[in-house]
Amino acid sequence: MRQVLEGSHAISEAVRLARVQVTAGYPITPQTHIIEAISEHFADGTMTGRFIPVESEHSSMAAVVGAATTGVRTFTATSSHGLALMHEMLHWASAARLPIVMGEVNRALGPGWNIWMDQTDSLAQRDTGWIQLYCEDGQEALDTTLMAYRLAEQVNLPVMVVIDAFFVSHTFEPIEVPDQDDVDRFLPPIKPRFALDPKEPAALYQMAPPACYMEMRRSIDLAMDQAADVFGEVEEEFEAVFGRRYGSIETVGCDDAEIILVTTGSATSTSRMVVEKLRGQGEKVGLLKLKRFRPFPVEAIRRALAGARKVAVLDRNFCFGVGGIFAQEIRAALCGLEPAPVMFNFIAGLGGRDIPPNLIEELYSTTKTHAAPAEKSIWMGLNEELLESCGI
């Protein structure tokens, strides 16, 4: 059934359709609408199970860790400083091999206090052992949340479904909401690898001495590698039922492109229009959309970018002292490729600032007209007068 939903409620609908049994939630803008809608589903009986209102995001993740340990399907959501507060428990969830799914609405970190779009919050958690999947729009957010449960429950790792603050979370659009019977066919009841049972007492998550700790970490690494293949299988099965798939990456016009733009999230939609316009003018430009950040699709990226002369990576995030985070990862993925394309890294849209079509055209023009980047990261759309007033 096609409905007009905001991006946050697309995730809420997916959680309802997934028959999640325990949700823990703490409100934080711009994630709040996800948890609000789910709490209403539990209150009116649309969802059965337990909704746990908690006093902090740290407790929210702790609650779903405990619930998942009993073998039930779980969910929570957060943003920005809430995600940062969860950091300790994110490691706990992945090391405990729990198939938790979390909605993460990208929001800038302070100070200064900012509730708008910035990917640095989720990317700062890239080493916690969570699978990370980035969505361009509300339909992709709904579909990805359903696929996330299949993926998490097959490889026993938690999954973060990431959407842009406001550009996706608060934007209404027509979304195809699947029938419950079809979802049940795609996503059967959870069959946990282990579950706490009072009839069979067990102690879990005890001290891991040097004799076994490395093996535990290696098993997580192997599961993450396995997740790359399982993700493709899950998408194939999803497409067989619902007729849609997204891929770890998506390429547009890359086969003959001399310059390829790399984007993720909602900026991809704007970039699609710009690429179409430029190709209509005879420009050999392509677009690579990155969806699956963890595990990172190294080989797919190498194949897609191998024929380009230049690559322009648009980062809506930043790692101080290094540069854009996606650019770092892509540069590493291309290491050893001969000939390797020249990489340009552009920083734009931090703190919710718009990335309009003319900025992407400027980004493309800069890449085309320069043999190499003048800086490790080129900041786009800065107010130079305001920057000067900030000082160093």
Side-chain angles (χ1 to χ4, degrees):
M1 181 192 308
R2 186 167 286 267
Q3 300 181 31
V4 177
L5 297 174
E6 67 171 34
S8 292
H9 291 165
I11 291 180
S12 304
E13 282 297 286
V15 172
R16 176 186 66 80
L17 290 163
R19 299 188 185 275
V20 168
Q21 296 152 289
V22 174
T23 295
Y26 186 83
I28 182 170
T29 303
Q31 167 284 120
T32 307
H33 290 184
I34 299 175
I35 291 296
E36 282 181 342
I38 293 171
S39 70
E40 291 171 2
H41 290 323
F42 277 103
D44 65 18
T46 305
M47 293 178 66
T48 58
R50 181 70 62 87
F51 180 85
I52 307 174
V54 293
E55 74 281 3
S56 75
E57 290 86 357
H58 186 282
S59 296
S60 184
M61 183 52 61
V64 293
V65 163
T69 303
T70 69
V72 299
R73 190 169 283 161
T74 61
F75 179 81
T76 190
T78 193
S79 295
S80 187
H81 289 277
L83 181 64
L85 185 59
M86 283 184 180
H87 180 76
E88 175 194 1
M89 295 307 301
L90 297 182
H91 283 283
W92 196 279
S94 60
R97 306 296 301 276
L98 297 172
I100 298 165
V101 173
M102 175 166 64
E104 210 296 291
V105 183
N106 278 145
R107 168 189 152 180
L109 293 155
W113 188 69
N114 182 298
I115 63 171
W116 292 277
M117 167 61 192
D118 191 315
Q119 296 168 324
T120 307
D121 60 342
S122 59
L123 293 174
Q125 311 303 324
R126 60 191 178 274
D127 300 330
T128 58
W130 280 64
I131 296 166
Q132 289 195 15
L133 305 174
Y134 287 75
C135 303
E136 181 179 351
D137 53 34
Q139 184 70 65
E140 187 172 353
L142 187 153
D143 295 346
T144 302
T145 302
L146 292 175
M147 288 189 279
Y149 280 104
R150 277 289 301 273
L151 178 59
E153 290 165 14
Q154 284 186 236
V155 300
N156 291 289
L157 285 176
V159 180
M160 198 180 295
V161 178
V162 188
I163 63 173
D164 290 4
F166 298 104
F167 295 109
V168 176
S169 67
H170 286 57
T171 296
F172 284 81
E173 57 186 302
I175 293 174
E176 192 67 37
V177 179
D179 293 335
Q180 185 67 67
D181 289 344
D182 289 335
V183 174
D184 290 342
R185 183 155 54 96
F186 169 75
L187 184 63
I190 185 172
K191 294 180 179 178
R193 188 173 66 172
F194 62 88
L196 280 178
D197 184 348
K199 296 178 182 177
E200 297 181 14
L204 300 177
Y205 319 139
Q206 301 302 299
M207 179 178 287
C212 65
Y213 184 85
M214 279 186 63
E215 287 74 14
M216 293 170 64
R217 279 342 191 232
R218 176 58 172 155
S219 74
I220 297 170
D221 183 46
L222 293 171
M224 189 66 81
D225 289 342
Q226 182 188 28
D229 293 329
V230 173
F231 179 75
E233 296 167 5
V234 168
E235 280 216 315
E236 286 181 10
E237 294 179 29
F238 188 88
E239 183 181 28
V241 178
F242 304 105
R244 297 182 294 276
R245 68 178 303 162
Y246 301 93
S248 299
I249 65 169
E250 179 191 351
T251 58
V252 178
C254 289
D255 290 344
D256 65 345
E258 295 181 355
I259 297 174
I260 297 177
L261 309 181
V262 179
T263 63
T264 191
S266 63
T268 303
S269 297
T270 310
S271 300
R272 291 181 192 276
M273 296 189 299
V274 172
V275 166
E276 183 178 4
K277 174 184 175 181
L278 291 173
R279 288 189 71 87
Q281 296 172 353
E283 299 290 329
K284 291 186 175 181
V285 57
L287 174 66
L288 185 152
K289 167 188 167 181
L290 178 62
K291 176 181 180 61
R292 197 189 76 213
F293 179 64
R294 283 292 183 269
F296 198 66
V298 173
E299 293 305 320
I301 288 172
R302 286 173 68 91
R303 288 193 298 269
L305 300 182
R309 289 194 303 108
K310 299 176 182 177
V311 173
V313 181
L314 175 57
D315 268 306
R316 212 168 195 163
N317 57 76
F318 197 73
C319 177
F320 300 105
V322 177
I325 296 169
F326 287 122
Q328 293 178 52
E329 301 273 342
I330 291 169
R331 187 175 288 113
L334 297 181
C335 185
L337 189 66
E338 293 292 345
V342 177
M343 179 176 295
F344 290 70
N345 179 212
F346 296 91
I347 309 300
L350 302 188
R353 191 167 297 186
D354 284 343
I355 302 179
N358 66 298
L359 186 144
I360 297 173
E361 290 184 39
E362 182 184 350
L363 175 159
Y364 172 75
S365 177
T366 299
T367 304
K368 181 181 178 180
T369 56
H370 290 74
E375 304 173 74
K376 67 177 185 293
S377 296
I378 302 168
W379 291 66
M380 304 291 289
L382 288 175
N383 181 326
E384 295 297 338
E385 184 177 336
L386 181 58
L387 176 63
E388 185 177 350
S389 71
C390 291
I392 296 178

